[in-house]
Amino acid sequence: MKKMRCAIYTRKSSEEGLEQEFNSLDAQREACAAYVASQKHEGWVLLPERYDDGGLSGGSLERPALQKLMEDIAAGSVDQIMVYKIDRLTRSLADFSKIVDIVDAAEASFVSVTQSFNTATSMGRLTLNMLLSFAQFEREVTAERIRDKIAASKRKGLWMGGLVPLGYDADGRTLVINVQDAPTIRTLYDLYERHGTVREVKVHADALGLRSRLRTASDGTIAGGKLFDRGHIHHILSNPIYAGRIRHRDKIFDGQHPAIVNPERWDNVQLQLQNGAAKGRARTTAKQRSHLCGKLFDEAGDRLTPSHTKTRKGVRLRYYVSHRLIAKSGEAHVGGWRLPAEELEQRVAVCVKAMIAASGFAAKLLVNGQAEQISNVADKITALLNRDVASQLLDLVDCIEIASGKMSIRIGVESLSDLTGVSSDEIAEDALSCDVPFQLRKRGVETKIILADAPTGIDETLIRNIAKAHVWFERIRAGETFSDIAATDASSKRRIQQMIELAFLAPDIVRNALEGKQPLGFTSDWCLRHEIPSDWSEQRQLIGAL
């Protein structure tokens, strides 16, 4: 009789009650162990390893015990996964399909002890898909109910938690003024009314030594206590909470907390901010939009302005140029930046993608968020990443500061709020910035931007397209045509012809992509726009130069 090695997986969404001597995880494990014991005559054997995830949502696969279990299954050391209910494993059909791929490849199966099925049979698989559909429906309904509750509470002017804004302290469902920090807020408004630009406010705020609040997270991590950057200053100046109001999405309601800044004064500052933005906004063309217009600044605080030239063949080349180079054109000894726009935008988009794709980003973003809320935010970020549209990633950027050897990128609080549906007051701003070392490399008249130590991360879209290319190539070898594949896979013949080149990538290039070590410029979008040579050494040379 074949021995069936059984591993028990347990999960609980919240941390409530986990401190008890016999908690929910123990109860789940006890029920599963009893079921395994009842099948001893079938050769079932319980493995001693524990796979317990406490306080983690089922809406994401980013769970340590689950990841360890998947590794052990792939290694062939587990034959059967035991769960109390199938929603302990996952509540997402999309995630379940990924788990199934791993389990099927290892010829393992699932068993739910309270729902009487196992995936070794076709009826078990049908039952499982039905249960998961209801589990996902329940999760989405719960999320919708929470969103409606938050919206109703904010209409009443209640503060619904999150990161406490500078200048206030939390007091139940409202806020009270922090007498030590409130003067900092008033000073920033005074400086803006006096000087009229966020850039000048930063200069004078730095001179006065104004700093953000020092915060200590639950895990002991210390953040804040730094000089204000321009993005943070702009957020404070445009945040209605300081006028005694509460923002929810695109609506603003009267709050139940006291105002630090007079509401009429706050309204005037908003008009001033809008007028300043309108003056600095460059015109865009229908064909090519400069996505970083108004967001780029150099080490002197000078804005980089979109510019362009045309080649002899009429090709339009876009640049971002330090404003002083344009204003003082023709004068000697005027220094500044002149960066190729398309390449800069591509590099910045890759950096932003790596930032928001990083493991645990949603949790860092919502330091006081509930597990369900964090899971919903992670789902929306994943949806953006799957679309893989560079312009949408660049729209998240609030400010980029360029200095010799370093580029500081900051994602906008409001942009991220619009994307995730989370109030800007709940977002931790410390998670929205990154510094990227970079250098310029001249090659003839061409200037390349090299981001030496930029965060890379695993590009799920690239990996998925490489896998598709291999599947399509095998189907071509089996006798199907490009038109056949396009018809069955709801794709275009041209796209398949372009993507199938990914099936011929050198093994080390594919391995680097799987490990997230590929060059920053090596993306699916780049592959579709360039012809990839069949020779592996030429591939390495071409892709290595990105």
Side-chain angles (χ1 to χ4, degrees):
M1 182 184 298
K2 182 183 176 182
K3 185 170 71 172
M4 292 290 290
R5 297 163 298 176
C6 303
I8 297 173
Y9 176 76
T10 64
R11 180 183 66 80
K12 189 176 188 296
S13 296
S14 67
E15 295 182 356
E16 183 180 355
L18 290 181
E19 73 283 353
Q20 297 173 4
E21 186 175 345
F22 186 81
N23 55 44
S24 173
L25 300 181
D26 296 320
Q28 292 175 47
R29 183 172 179 82
E30 186 177 84
C32 292
Y35 191 88
V36 173
S38 72
Q39 302 297 315
K40 188 175 182 180
H41 63 282
E42 296 288 342
W44 290 24
V45 177
L46 180 61
L47 295 174
E49 288 81 8
R50 293 185 68 108
Y51 302 94
D52 303 327
D53 279 319
L56 295 172
S57 167
S60 168
L61 295 180
E62 294 295 326
R63 290 174 261 156
L66 179 62
Q67 295 292 336
K68 179 64 168 61
L69 177 57
M70 292 299 103
E71 291 172 5
D72 290 347
I73 290 172
S77 55
V78 175
D79 298 316
Q80 201 147 248
I81 302 174
M82 309 294 301
V83 288
Y84 182 71
K85 289 174 62 179
I86 196 61
D87 66 359
R88 297 302 86 195
L89 195 62
T90 178
R91 286 177 176 264
S92 166
L93 280 170
D95 288 343
F96 175 67
S97 66
K98 298 176 185 177
I99 296 174
V100 166
D101 289 341
I102 297 172
V103 173
D104 284 351
E107 298 183 348
S109 60
F110 302 98
V111 173
S112 170
V113 302
T114 60
Q115 293 161 320
S116 301
F117 72 87
N118 89 58
T119 57
T121 66
S122 57
M123 182 58 71
R125 287 178 177 272
L126 174 61
T127 306
L128 179 58
N129 280 318
M130 292 172 61
L131 288 169
L132 276 170
S133 296
F134 281 109
Q136 181 164 339
F137 172 73
E138 180 187 0
R139 175 170 169 261
E140 290 171 356
V141 168
T142 301
E144 188 175 332
R145 188 169 66 246
I146 292 171
R147 286 195 296 270
D148 290 344
K149 180 181 179 182
I150 291 173
S153 298
K154 289 200 170 186
R155 282 195 293 271
K156 295 179 181 178
L158 297 175
W159 180 70
M160 292 304 294
L163 204 64
V164 181
L166 179 68
Y168 286 103
D169 290 321
D171 183 21
R173 284 298 177 201
T174 189
L175 299 168
V176 294
I177 294 177
N178 181 306
V179 293
Q180 292 181 328
D181 292 340
T184 298
I185 301 299
R186 297 190 183 101
T187 300
L188 291 174
Y189 276 81
D190 290 342
L191 290 172
Y192 185 75
E193 288 178 325
R194 193 179 311 153
H195 300 286
T197 67
V198 174
R199 187 177 66 190
E200 286 296 319
V201 172
K202 174 170 172 53
V203 171
H204 289 84
D206 289 352
L208 292 171
L210 300 183
R211 293 179 177 271
S212 61
R213 175 183 288 172
L214 196 66
R215 304 176 189 269
T216 303
S218 57
D219 61 356
T221 305
I222 297 176
K226 301 176 182 178
L227 295 172
F228 291 99
D229 59 34
R230 280 194 287 266
H232 195 176
I233 292 171
H234 186 278
H235 174 62
I236 289 174
L237 294 174
S238 59
N239 193 343
I241 206 152
Y242 295 113
R245 299 165 180 168
I246 292 286
R247 176 187 280 133
H248 181 63
R249 305 286 178 86
D250 56 347
K251 296 179 180 178
I252 295 177
F253 306 99
D254 289 335
Q256 296 188 13
H257 62 278
I260 293 178
V261 177
N262 182 281
E264 292 183 4
R265 182 186 184 192
W266 186 85
D267 290 337
N268 290 333
V269 168
Q270 304 320 297
L271 291 174
Q272 200 173 346
L273 285 168
Q274 292 170 12
N275 292 335
K279 291 178 183 177
R281 191 178 296 119
R283 293 182 179 179
T284 59
T285 66
K287 291 183 179 179
Q288 290 180 310
R289 174 187 165 198
S290 296
H291 294 280
L292 299 178
C293 176
K295 302 177 179 181
L296 279 168
F297 299 87
D298 62 21
E299 69 273 25
D302 200 10
R303 189 190 300 269
L304 271 68
T305 304
S307 181
H308 72 276
T309 60
K310 285 190 176 181
T311 66
R312 293 179 181 178
K313 295 182 179 180
V315 178
R316 192 171 185 265
L317 302 176
R318 295 187 301 120
Y319 295 92
Y320 288 103
V321 184
S322 294
H323 183 69
R324 58 185 176 276
L325 293 181
I326 298 174
K328 300 180 180 180
S329 178
E331 295 186 19
H333 309 299
V334 178
W337 295 89
R338 181 183 177 86
L339 303 174
E342 184 176 353
E343 184 164 359
L344 177 63
E345 289 166 357
Q346 183 186 49
R347 301 300 194 198
V348 170
V350 172
C351 288
V352 172
K353 183 175 182 178
M355 283 176 66
I356 65 177
S359 177
F361 176 76
K364 294 176 184 174
L365 198 65
L366 302 169
V367 289
N368 295 319
Q370 299 298 314
E372 204 71 41
Q373 185 185 28
I374 291 172
S375 177
N376 289 334
V377 169
D379 289 345
K380 291 179 180 179
I381 290 173
T382 300
L384 174 65
L385 293 171
N386 289 338
R387 290 195 293 271
D388 198 26
V389 179
S391 60
Q392 294 180 0
L393 294 169
L394 294 175
D395 286 343
L396 294 178
V397 174
D398 177 62
C399 178
I400 299 175
E401 296 183 17
I402 293 177
S404 180
K406 187 180 76 170
M407 183 186 302
S408 298
I409 302 173
R410 180 180 180 82
I411 295 176
V413 174
E414 298 301 332
S415 302
L416 211 53
S417 174
D418 292 340
L419 169 67
T420 60
V422 175
S423 169
S424 57
D425 300 327
E426 300 176 56
I427 294 175
E429 297 182 36
D430 294 328
L432 303 184
S433 301
C434 77
D435 291 337
V436 184
F438 88 106
Q439 57 179 318
L440 298 179
R441 180 182 296 168
K442 294 283 187 179
R443 185 180 296 168
V445 296
E446 181 187 15
T447 302
K448 287 186 70 67
I449 299 171
I450 310 298
L451 300 181
D453 299 318
T456 51
I458 294 175
D459 188 334
E460 298 285 355
T461 304
L462 175 62
I463 293 172
R464 187 166 55 250
N465 286 340
I466 292 174
K468 278 185 181 178
H470 280 276
V471 172
W472 288 341
F473 178 64
E474 290 302 320
R475 291 171 65 179
I476 292 291
R477 290 179 61 187
E480 292 188 61
T481 65
F482 288 117
S483 299
D484 294 336
I485 298 172
T488 57
D489 287 26
S491 186
S492 69
K493 180 179 174 182
R494 172 161 176 75
R495 181 173 178 82
I496 294 170
Q497 289 172 331
Q498 289 176 318
M499 281 182 53
I500 206 164
E501 291 185 356
L502 296 176
F504 307 106
L505 288 173
D508 54 310
I509 294 175
V510 175
R511 184 173 61 252
N512 286 340
L514 291 172
E515 296 175 356
K517 297 178 181 178
Q518 74 279 5
L520 283 171
F522 183 50
T523 63
S524 289
D525 184 55
W526 181 90
C527 293
L528 293 176
R529 291 187 287 106
H530 295 81
E531 183 176 348
I532 300 175
S534 57
D535 183 81
W536 287 354
S537 60
E538 292 181 15
Q539 290 179 10
R540 295 183 184 104
Q541 184 177 0
L542 175 65
I543 295 172
L546 294 176

